[in-house]
Amino acid sequence: MPAAWPKCSRSFFGLAEQDWEKLGEGADPSWYLDPLVARQKREVNLALVQAALRYAPNPERVLKTDLFEDAFGEDELLGDFPVSPRLLCGVELAYSTTQRAQVRFPHLRGQLAVGDLRNLPFRPGSFDLIVSTSSLDHFATVEEWEGALLGLLKLLAPGGVALLTFDNPANPLYHCLRWGARRGILPFALGFTPSLATVELGAVAAGCTVLEQSFAIYNPRGLSTALFLGLRKLLGGRADGAVRWCLQAFAKLGKTGLRKHLACFHATIVRANL
């Protein structure tokens, strides 16, 4: 763990470091995520972490990448992590976001670092479990993505396990979000996003074995965000019931044969070869 938070000079998908810093300095950068959706996302991600823990039940050293949700949202994972490892670290590109996460979770003081996923401030083999939730979706090229994935998985100790989630490019609505991100409509950037098959190929090339792959969250991308914002504006404090009903209805889409094309995210659990 570095003694101080190092600064980064690179960019993600055309966004320079200062742009990510500006996002992290915003009063409410996660305004677009309905509180009930954030809790849904947290529950889904925690279930995925539990699935990963079946293969690494007692990790002593854990790393979580991307601290945006932990700094600002109700979809945070660090506050009540399913296990109590000897070392629970986090890494994030933006100093401002890292600082906000540190304030929110003071018990992690000294364990949150600033670092670029292509040049992480940790030694190879440092972690028994890595949780990377939609962190590798922001690179402009497949070459950058491959380099970041290889660098991240090199941090696994032999036999260590990583949970990797990504936006789902098989969902047609994802491409509408990508269009909006390129034009600055969204508060975040979307770059190269791999399919499940591409993640598997990258993991194998990094010396890992794929253990599980799955899909997650079936709210129509973008459309559900607009719907929930509209319900909140129309119904105010009475909107919770309507939002919950919508979430339950959307969740049923995951039981259909179209779930590959309706899921917002896909997940892969891998193990570093011994």
Side-chain angles (χ1 to χ4, degrees), residues 23 27-35 68 72 185-188 225 229:
L23 179 63
D28 185 16
S30 59
W31 59 267
Y32 56 89
L33 190 60
D34 187 271
F68 185 85
F72 304 107
I185 298 172
L186 302 182
F188 50 83
T225 300
L229 288 172

Side-chain angles (χ1 to χ4, degrees), residues 192-230:
F192 171 76
T193 299
S195 65
L196 277 174
T198 300
V199 175
E200 181 171 7
L201 288 173
V204 171
C208 293
T209 299
V210 173
L211 302 173
E212 290 186 23
Q213 291 190 303
S214 60
F215 295 99
I217 302 184
Y218 299 91
N219 311 332
R221 303 215 65 174
L223 299 179
S224 60
T225 300
L227 171 63
F228 298 146
L229 288 172

Side-chain angles (χ1 to χ4, degrees), residues 55-56 125-130 152-163 203-204 206-211 269-274:
Y55 303 100
S126 293
F127 298 100
D128 307 303
L129 175 67
I130 294 175
L152 182 62
L153 295 182
K154 277 186 176 180
L155 299 182
L156 285 174
V161 172
L163 165 65
V204 171
C208 293
T209 299
V210 173
L211 302 173
I269 300 173
V270 306
R271 173 185 284 150
N273 296 333
L274 297 173

Side-chain angles (χ1 to χ4, degrees), residues 121-134:
F122 305 105
R123 294 187 182 92
S126 293
F127 298 100
D128 307 303
L129 175 67
I130 294 175
V131 176
S132 180
T133 50
S134 292

Side-chain angles (χ1 to χ4, degrees), residues 50-269:
Q50 291 284 9
L53 287 170
R54 291 201 299 266
Y55 303 100
N58 297 299
E60 292 191 358
R61 303 161 298 167
V62 176
L63 173 67
K64 181 183 182 294
T65 68
D66 195 336
L67 299 176
F68 185 85
E69 58 200 6
D70 303 289
F72 304 107
E74 294 189 46
D75 50 340
E76 58 82 15
L77 299 180
L78 292 179
D80 190 23
F81 202 73
V83 292
S84 299
R86 176 170 54 85
L87 182 65
L88 176 58
C89 293
V91 67
E92 160 68 39
L93 179 69
Y95 175 86
S96 56
T97 299
T98 307
Q99 198 171 35
R100 296 276 285 269
Q102 181 71 85
V103 170
R104 193 176 185 188
F105 301 110
H107 67 287
L108 296 177
R109 184 169 300 281
Q111 296 174 211
L112 305 182
V114 175
D116 190 315
L117 288 176
R118 293 163 291 189
N119 187 24
L120 288 164
F122 305 105
R123 294 187 182 92
S126 293
F127 298 100
D128 307 303
L129 175 67
I130 294 175
V131 176
S132 180
T133 50
S134 292
S135 304
L136 294 165
D137 290 322
H138 305 291
F139 298 105
T141 67
V142 63
E143 290 79 15
E144 287 182 298
W145 177 83
E146 289 173 342
L149 179 67
L150 178 63
L152 182 62
L153 295 182
K154 277 186 176 180
L155 299 182
L156 285 174
V161 172
L163 165 65
L164 311 168
T165 75
F166 298 89
D167 289 316
N168 177 22
N171 185 329
L173 292 175
Y174 161 79
H175 300 282
C176 297
L177 289 183
R178 184 181 172 89
W179 180 89
R182 285 188 169 185
R183 284 152 182 80
I185 298 172
L186 302 182
F188 50 83
L190 295 173
F192 171 76
T193 299
S195 65
L196 277 174
T198 300
V199 175
E200 181 171 7
L201 288 173
V204 171
C208 293
T209 299
V210 173
L211 302 173
E212 290 186 23
Q213 291 190 303
S214 60
F215 295 99
I217 302 184
Y218 299 91
N219 311 332
R221 303 215 65 174
L223 299 179
S224 60
T225 300
L227 171 63
F228 298 146
L229 288 172
L231 287 172
R232 292 292 179 190
K233 185 174 182 179
L234 179 66
L235 301 176
R238 296 178 292 124
D240 278 7
V243 173
R244 287 194 181 94
W245 184 89
C246 290
L247 291 176
Q248 291 169 1
F250 295 147
K252 294 178 181 179
L253 298 174
K255 299 178 181 180
T256 71
L258 294 174
R259 60 184 174 274
K260 174 182 177 180
H261 301 287
L262 299 174
C264 296
F265 305 98
H266 61 67
T268 298
I269 300 173

